[in-house]
Each structure stands twice: as structure tokens, then as C-alpha cells.
Amino acid sequence: MDNRTFEIRVRGIVQGVGFRPFVYRIANELSLAGEVLNDTEGVLIRINAKTFEIPGIEMKIRGESPPLSKIKSIETKEIDQIAFTEFNVVESEITDQKSAFIPPDTAICENCRRELFDKNDHRYKFPFINCTNCGPRFSIIRDIPYDRKQTSMHKFPMCSRCQSEYENPSDRRFHTEPTSCPVCGPRYFLYDKDRKLIVEQTDKIISMCSEYLKNGKIVAIKGEGGYHLAANAKDTDSVRELRERKQRPFKPFALMVRDLNIAEEFLEISEVEKGLLLEREKPIVILKERKKRVSDLVAPGLTHLGIMLPYSPLQHLIFEEIENMVLIMTSGNISDEPIISEEDELFEKLASVADYFITSDREIIQQSDDSVLFVNNESPYMIRRSKGFVPIPFFSSHSDSNIFAAGSDIKNSFALSKENLIFVSQYIGDLESPLTEQKYIRTIDHFKNLFQIEPSVFVSDLHPGYFSTKITDRLWSNSGTRIKVQHHHAHIAAVLEENNTDDKVIGISFDGTGFGEDGNIWGGEFLIADKREYSRAAHFSYFPLPGGEAAIKDVWRIGLSLLITAFGKDPMPDGPKRKIIAELIEKNINSPLCCSVGRLFDGISSLLGFSDSISTEAEAAQLLEEAALRSDTTLKFPLEISGRSGKEPLLINSSLLVKELIRNKERGVPADDLALAFHNSIADITIKTLKLLRNKTGINRVALSGGVFHNRLLLRMTEKYIRSEKFEILLPKELPFNDGAIAFGQTVSAKARLKN
């Protein structure tokens, strides 16, 4: 049978992952003539083969594809005969469509790490070493197809040696776009806080940086997605100084150690957690402290620490010098602002924070923070989805409309969707900062260009005052379709999509804030929901939030509100400030009603003396959880469920809990026991409410979402109770419980509405 010419179109994450070299090797192995190239849709292969050979070729492409690749589809068609005589990798092409996926940044591979420390290798101690299987991708790409000229490496022409490797099909750097070496590649530079250049030789930078860290100095270090602030985690004075300069009194600092052996010396690490730490994404993993190795100021009042292993060549070189030291490696920013990735902004914002600065001349096109995960019941859960995972798309139901979803104002990520793909952005941050809003708009524009998505549908939260809502209104400008999705419905819709179900569920969404359809602040919700619609089936009782946003920071106000709601007056009047807030509540002045479980945690934390004012979200709740972990009591308090016979939602009255808590406190029950009793009570009333709703609706599936479930103790209790009552439970998989999932859920809900 004669050879014919076939065109094989491969879509997915197939650029920047060594796919063309991989196809080249397959072609030579099978003695096929033809060509392979990148274009704006993915990878295109043209080969001469016999018809019966094609299924085997497709199977080989799927089964042996490079480790960083992710194939979405393979389509093959016969085309007019082309007289190929050999197989070649050819120049990229621009097509009418942009549908190629971009790989995320990944940690240095073992081969490159070995070369990094091989004195006989010409890339010995070269801090930008990478190959087909590792290194920067998303952070350096301006546009597709993925060619060097489309990246921030375009300003570094390859030397003859790198060019030879680049063109050699048997080399690991065959068509590796970011490849370079000490002769032709980028460089690092060491500056002082006045932006005065100190040195630019890599070995001297590493040596001096190590000495600075050993001597308690704070060093800003450029990474792949932005700058880190590094400090000696054991040096309490250094950690205290970093907290003061960074304006970050409580929020825990992330740590970095040389290897897993060092981490195991002072942390409890399960096999699942080890696997996460060693994955090529190299996320921060939240682990329980086993013994003291770092300053108490790293995570004040907490026994869980966030830790990661080195992933960039420079980080490995630094740890080779400092060996067993534990480093703080926290995002280079002022608290609540995005991670800094540009040099001018670095010196403008952090000259008063860091003592020294390590910069480079390789531009970061897209900033991204380190991703953060935790493990519960041997299952990993995302807290922050960013570096290493973005911009891998989610596959969804098909839609003819291109959709933009704004996400939430807190822990923001946005989403852009076309056809059956949803691209969720990296973690952006809190939109109340003007700087964050600028980066948010810039990142939207980058995603729109990169993935060729011009939205015709614009989705946001219901809240009219959210920054994300106002930005969406500006982007929409009365052109296209405008959709608003209730916050907690978006939470549940995200979980349904991740679990690939269209059925109605009982959705539990516990968080801090979400604008409700009645104009109040929701956050203690039981919804009967599918992706398209929901009804409110039950919720916690309302209490005033005196001063509105001010109460979220001064959580003692919430504690006072809970007391007045439960007892009808302040049972412990003390001081003029307390009397003023009590008057706000009694006269209903700037005191919006709230039923949020997150705020309930804050108020109880205050009533038990763990926190009166906070500097970061969930601070009071974390301290309450920490106290509960110190107790083993089985004590729990009653919560009344009313409205069982009517059509209105069931109402969980939290005032009974507050009264019992105060009575037990006055009887001398330790605060730690009361903290655990509170957790026991929330988990207990949750399962009682679920059983009532199952009896009423016949629905046996439960979906959990909302940032409160990042509380490991409450999640563990709630999941245990739900499973013990034979419910089927749906949980997030690749997105967080928190508002990082909102844009995805908004997109899912909008798709369902458009479909119907």
C-alpha cells in the first residue's frame, strides 16, 4: 500500500514542553518523513504514512508524550500528497485561531540540577539553567506560538554552543526556547537599598547573600514569578524586623528549606504531603510543627507552618552555601498588595523593607505567587492556586459565548472562557488596592490576547459596591450580556463543575462575607442548588455588624454584637468605646445584618479572649482553631433550628450557643475547651440541618465550599459526620474552598443560564 500524507493536529499543553522534539524522535524511530511545527492552535504534524499506521502513531503520541504536556485532542485528516524525504522541525506558523495552551512554570529538573553542580559542565552554577522538561514558561511568554522571540528571552541571542544544542534532535535542549548559558544568558545583580550596584558575578552574589542572611539581614531575591523577601527564620530579631517593615503583624511567613530531610527534622510530614513537596510545581504545603526550629514570630500563636523546597537554580545555589538554614521566603510586597515583579516598583516599594536586592535582566512578563496547599484526611486541598498550576485550563461544557468572570474582591482570581475551556488566572490579591486593580486589568488583557478570548458575556458578583462588579460594568459598557451570580451559589457551582455533576445538591457555603439577595451579609448558607439556580434552604441567624467593615478588623465589636443579640443588652458594659458600639447596635446605625459563620468564628474568638483586633483575614479564626486543637473535650452547645414547617428557610439560632458559651466561661471552663466545644457545636448543627433537609427534599448529595472550611479541624469533623450519616460528599479538587474559586463558579453558573 502506498504512503499517503496525513495532517495530525494536536491541541493542549503542547508548546514549551518538548513536544516537537518528542514527535521528531518518534518519526525517526518509525522511519517517517514529514515535518512538525508550532502554530497558534498547538502542534501540527504532517507525515507520509500508510493508512493502517495512523492509529498506532496516534497511540504512541498519547502514550509517550513529554512529562509537562497535557493533550486535549488529536485530530487526523488526509491531505494532498507532499513528497517529504526526511523529517524536520520547521518554523512556526500563525493561523486564524489562537487555541494553543501555555505550560506553567516548573521547578528545575534533576538533570539540570545535576549539571548545575557539575564542575565539568559549562553551565556549572549558571542560575538560569533549564531544559525541555523544566524552567520558566508562563512567566516569560508574551504571545503564541511559543517561540523565543515571543518570550522575555528574545533579548538574549544564543551563542554557537547553545544554538548547536537547540538544533540537535538528540539533545535535551532541542528547541528549548528559554535555553542559554553563562556566555549568552541573563545575569543576576546585587544592589543595596539605594540601588547602588555591589556586584554582578554569580558566585560572589551567592556568597554575599548567604553572609547577609546568616547575619540577620533581609534580602529581596528575584524568582520566576516575582520577588521573595528572604530572612533567617531562626533569628527572632530579623523576623521581627521583617514584620515591622512589611507591616505584617500576624500573617504567617512561608519557609523554604534545602531538602525534605531538613523539613522532617522539625515538621510532621505524611506521605501525601511529601509527594506534594516533591512535585514539579513545588507549592507551599501547610505542615504541623514537630519541634522548635524557627522563631515563634514566623507564625505567631500557630503550630502549623507553610513550607516549600527550592525550585529555581538560584535558590539551589543559595542553599548549597547556607546548607541547613531555614529561610523565610515570603512574597515581596507590602501586605495585601500583589507580589512585585518589576525592578522599578521593587525599589519604590521595598527600599525600606529589604537591606539588599538580587535582581536580574530577564523580564517577568506575568507575576505569580507561590501556590499553597494543605492535606486533610490524606486528600490535598488548594488554598492559593498560582505558580505551577496556572494557566492550565479546566475542561467544561461547551458554550458558543466567550465569558469573562470577575471573581471576588478578596483573594481574587478572574476567569476567561471559550468553547469548553475555562482559564482561571493566577492569584491576584485583594482588589481594594489601586495597584492590585491595575495588575488585575493588565492580567485580563494578557489572558485575552494569549488565548484569543474577546468576551461577549460579563459576569460578576451581586454586590453593587464590589470593585470587581464596577470593573465588570466598565468592561461590559452595555455591549454584550451582563450576568450577576450570588456569591455562595458561585461557591457551590464551582464544586459541582469540579465533580462533573449537573444534579441538585445541598450546598453548604460557610465563609466571611457574601452579598445576599435580601441585601444582608450571608455566609452561613445551606442552598438547594444546581449550576443554574439555587434556593436558600437554611442559614444561621442574623446579628448586627457594628461599623460594617470596621467590625471585620475590630472583632471585639462582633463579640459584643453576639452578646447583645443573645442577652438583649451588653452583660459586661466596660468603657465608653464599648458603650458607643452598643448604641450603634441598639439604634441600628451602620450595623448591617450578618449571618456569616466566618464572622461568628471571629466573634467567639474575641469572647474567649484570643483576639480583639486583627491585621489579616481569618486571624481570629485561626487562633480559635489553634486553641481548639489543644483540647480534647467532647462538650458541645445547643443551637435551635426553627421554621421546620413553613416555606421559609430553616433558621439556626446561634444565640443559644453564645449564652451557653458565656455561662460555661463564667463557671471556669478553660477557654481552649470552649473553643473546641464551639467547633463541635458547628459540626453537630450542620449535620442535624442536613438530615432535616434530606428528609424534606430527598437529596443525599452534599457539596462543601467557602473559606471557613480551610479550618482543618472543622473540615475533618464535618466530613466525618456527613459520611457517617451516609451522605455523598462533594469537595473541591483543584480550586480552593475560598474565594479563589468564585470566578470559576460564576463562569459555570453563567454557562448553565445561557444554555437554558
Side-chain angles (χ1 to χ4, degrees), residues 555 558-560 562 598-608 611 620:
V555 295
I558 302 175
L560 176 57
L562 292 174
R599 299 287 86 88
L600 188 59
F601 266 82
D602 290 343
I604 298 297
S605 183
S606 173
L607 291 177
L608 294 179
S611 182

Side-chain angles (χ1 to χ4, degrees), residues 345-563:
E345 184 187 348
L346 172 74
F347 284 98
E348 178 190 338
K349 294 276 186 180
L350 298 185
S352 60
V353 177
D355 298 302
Y356 298 96
F357 300 79
I358 298 176
T359 71
S360 81
D361 52 1
R362 185 177 71 191
E363 182 187 359
I364 296 172
I365 306 295
Q366 271 295 291
Q367 84 287 343
S368 58
D369 286 88
D370 296 298
S371 295
V372 185
L373 294 99
F374 74 100
V375 172
N376 190 70
N377 288 339
E378 297 302 296
S379 295
Y381 296 99
M382 195 74 73
I383 295 176
R384 182 168 74 197
R385 181 180 181 269
S386 206
K387 184 189 69 65
F389 298 92
V390 174
I392 298 172
F394 293 86
F395 295 100
S396 176
S397 59
H398 183 87
S399 174
D400 293 330
S401 301
N402 291 351
I403 301 170
F404 165 77
S408 182
D409 274 20
I410 306 296
K411 293 180 170 57
N412 178 272
S413 296
F414 65 83
L416 282 165
S417 172
K418 68 176 182 180
E419 298 169 354
N420 67 333
L421 302 171
I422 303 175
F423 296 90
V424 180
S425 78
Q426 68 270 41
Y427 168 86
I428 303 290
D430 297 351
L431 291 183
E432 64 183 15
S433 157
L435 182 64
T436 310
E437 184 176 326
Q438 290 172 20
K439 292 195 175 183
Y440 177 73
I441 297 295
R442 214 159 54 225
T443 308
I444 292 169
D445 289 340
H446 186 66
F447 269 62
K448 284 167 64 177
N449 175 61
L450 209 55
F451 304 115
Q452 199 173 353
I453 300 175
E454 195 55 54
S456 59
V457 179
F458 299 84
V459 191
S460 74
D461 194 88
L462 283 179
H463 199 305
Y466 269 6
F467 293 101
S468 53
T469 304
K470 293 173 181 176
I471 293 168
T472 307
D473 284 337
R474 292 204 304 267
L475 294 173
W476 169 53
S477 296
N478 291 307
S479 177
T481 303
R482 185 73 171 88
I483 295 175
K484 294 185 179 182
V485 179
Q486 200 280 327
H487 185 87
H488 302 97
H489 183 215
H491 267 303
I492 301 305
V495 178
L496 296 182
E497 184 69 18
E498 280 210 84
N499 286 273
N500 194 30
T501 181
D502 294 315
D503 296 338
K504 282 194 182 295
V505 298
I506 305 171
I508 302 176
S509 186
F510 291 170
D511 64 3
T513 299
F515 188 73
E517 290 191 350
D518 59 2
N520 294 323
I521 298 169
W522 292 6
E525 307 307 311
F526 294 77
L527 309 178
I528 304 302
D530 56 22
K531 295 172 185 175
R532 183 174 183 270
E533 59 191 4
Y534 76 96
S535 61
R536 196 181 194 195
H539 62 88
F540 280 75
S541 57
Y542 287 114
F543 52 89
L545 209 57
E549 290 288 323
I552 296 173
K553 295 288 186 185
D554 294 331
V555 295
W556 66 267
R557 297 182 184 216
I558 302 175
L560 176 57
S561 176
L562 292 174
L563 289 176

Side-chain angles (χ1 to χ4, degrees), residues 108-329:
I108 183 174
C109 68
E110 193 53 39
N111 285 329
C112 283
R113 199 184 73 82
R114 190 165 51 248
E115 291 170 350
L116 183 67
F117 293 108
D118 182 354
K119 292 181 180 179
N120 298 316
D121 193 280
H122 79 288
R123 290 187 177 85
Y124 174 59
K125 290 193 173 180
F126 178 55
F128 296 92
I129 190 170
N130 64 81
C131 72
T132 294
N133 298 319
C134 69
R137 296 296 190 271
F138 174 62
S139 63
I140 64 170
I141 292 175
R142 278 196 176 84
D143 206 347
I144 54 174
Y146 176 62
D147 293 321
R148 193 181 185 95
K149 64 185 178 183
Q150 305 273 37
T151 74
S152 56
M153 289 298 294
H154 77 283
K155 62 185 278 191
F156 303 102
M158 281 182 273
C159 65
S160 58
R161 190 168 186 175
C162 286
Q163 190 72 41
S164 174
E165 292 172 337
Y166 182 87
E167 294 172 355
N168 180 0
S170 63
D171 196 281
R172 202 172 81 253
R173 294 183 173 87
F174 181 47
H175 279 265
T176 298
E177 304 304 341
T179 192
S180 62
C181 73
V183 174
C184 62
R187 294 177 299 165
Y188 278 105
F189 307 89
L190 177 63
Y191 291 92
D192 66 14
K193 62 174 60 182
D194 296 319
R195 209 170 182 176
K196 180 182 176 183
L197 181 65
I198 299 173
V199 70
E200 57 182 270
Q201 289 84 10
T202 299
D203 56 345
K204 290 182 179 177
I205 291 173
I206 301 299
S207 175
M208 294 176 78
C209 173
S210 302
E211 285 303 310
Y212 294 150
L213 292 168
K214 289 174 185 176
N215 292 324
K217 299 299 183 184
I218 298 164
V219 184
I221 303 173
K222 191 173 186 178
E224 288 177 354
Y227 284 87
H228 287 106
L229 289 167
N232 183 347
K234 194 173 182 179
D235 187 333
T236 295
D237 290 338
S238 180
V239 181
R240 182 183 294 110
E241 189 69 24
L242 178 56
R243 287 208 171 277
E244 289 176 0
R245 294 182 188 179
K246 202 171 188 281
Q247 302 166 35
R248 185 165 162 170
F250 172 83
K251 191 175 181 180
F253 286 133
L255 301 175
M256 184 178 280
V257 295
R258 178 179 179 173
D259 55 37
L260 199 56
N261 291 333
I262 302 296
E264 287 182 307
E265 288 178 5
F266 67 104
L267 298 166
E268 295 179 9
I269 311 178
S270 70
E271 290 303 311
V272 174
E273 289 163 340
K274 283 181 189 177
L276 291 175
L277 286 167
L278 295 171
E279 285 287 347
R280 59 175 175 254
E281 295 87 359
K282 290 293 186 292
I284 298 167
V285 182
I286 309 299
L287 302 170
K288 184 170 176 55
E289 197 172 24
R290 190 163 61 82
K291 68 177 184 180
K292 276 294 168 193
R293 178 74 181 270
V294 299
S295 168
D296 288 339
L297 294 182
V298 167
L302 304 180
T303 55
H304 285 76
L305 303 173
I307 198 152
M308 58 182 157
L309 300 180
Y311 52 82
S312 77
L314 181 66
Q315 291 165 357
H316 279 278
L317 290 169
I318 290 171
F319 274 98
E320 186 70 11
E321 192 81 15
I322 63 175
E323 297 182 335
N324 298 342
M325 187 186 291
V326 181
L327 287 185
I328 286 173
M329 200 66 86

